[in-house]
Amino acid sequence: MNKLTFLFVGFLLSGCVGSIPPVISQAPTPNPNLLEVINRVEDFKHQTVRWGGSILAVKNRASETEIEVLAWTLDGAGKPIEGDQLQGRFLATVDGFLDPAVYTRGRLLTFYGLLENEQTRNIGEKSYTYPSIKVQTQYLWPLQSVYPNTAYCGYGRYGRYGGYYRPYGYYSSFGYYPRRLGYGFGGYRGRRW
């Protein structure tokens, strides 16, 4: 085989390698759940955790960024699973600046870091105790496609071949195709009674 073939195969295989950090895709041992920690933060202080969820708020300070997160359960790869399995809320402190235009409300994030302390704040008029983690690694999950099942199957916005349906026929990039009336092949043959 020539060098070009090796380069092509190497290029294809490099596209299969994920960019998810290993500490995000593999849970630490032990990995306490947020529900276990929420009332006993002092017992789990300075322990590594892998938590994730959707962003509620981002606050930039002089040297760090604080993210308020609505926690979800994580799948095997560390991605938050949106649904009814809410675990609560937590605060994540990241060194440096994170752009609030990128880290917007509702985006999914997974954090790996040390459990530091707890902070009490109000949600409306209700007092809530947030566990706080000092983030070592975070992963912002990519946004999902608006058409999740059409990315690779050839179906686009206007159907498989670029046309769109009309009750009397359809247009496509190859021209106008009248609707076939009647039965059989070859176009209109009249009604069969």
Side-chain angles (χ1 to χ4, degrees), residues 45-114:
K45 199 168 184 178
H46 301 296
Q47 196 168 15
T48 57
V49 294
R50 182 187 71 162
W51 292 344
S54 59
I55 299 173
L56 292 175
V58 176
K59 295 178 187 171
N60 283 303
R61 298 192 176 127
S63 62
E64 62 187 17
T65 302
E66 181 184 84
I67 302 174
E68 182 181 353
V69 180
L70 183 63
W72 303 93
T73 57
L74 304 179
D75 66 5
K79 184 175 183 178
I81 303 169
E82 294 181 287
D84 294 332
Q85 292 89 19
L86 284 176
Q87 295 187 350
R89 297 177 180 213
F90 67 93
L91 299 173
T93 305
V94 181
D95 288 332
F97 174 78
L98 296 179
D99 193 349
V102 176
Y103 289 79
T104 58
R105 183 181 176 96
R107 291 286 303 264
L108 299 179
L109 262 170
T110 303
F111 299 101
Y112 175 84
L114 293 174

Side-chain angles (χ1 to χ4, degrees), residues 17-67:
V17 176
S19 61
I20 302 172
V23 293
I24 297 295
S25 61
Q26 300 169 0
T29 306
N31 184 29
N33 194 342
L34 180 61
L35 294 173
E36 299 171 19
V37 173
I38 205 157
N39 293 324
R40 303 182 312 156
V41 174
E42 291 299 322
D43 295 343
F44 294 98
K45 199 168 184 178
H46 301 296
Q47 196 168 15
T48 57
V49 294
R50 182 187 71 162
W51 292 344
S54 59
I55 299 173
L56 292 175
V58 176
K59 295 178 187 171
N60 283 303
R61 298 192 176 127
S63 62
E64 62 187 17
T65 302
E66 181 184 84
I67 302 174

Side-chain angles (χ1 to χ4, degrees), residues 2 4 6 11 22 24 28 31 44 52 95 100-101 113 115-118 122-123 131 136 141 152 161 166 168 171 192:
N2 59 18
L4 185 62
F6 282 120
F11 177 73
I24 297 295
N31 184 29
F44 294 98
D95 288 332
L115 186 61
E116 280 191 328
N117 55 11
E118 58 187 5
N122 288 338
I123 301 175
Q136 296 172 352
W141 294 92
Y152 303 107
Y161 300 107
R166 292 282 188 212
Y168 303 107
Y171 295 91
R192 295 188 183 175

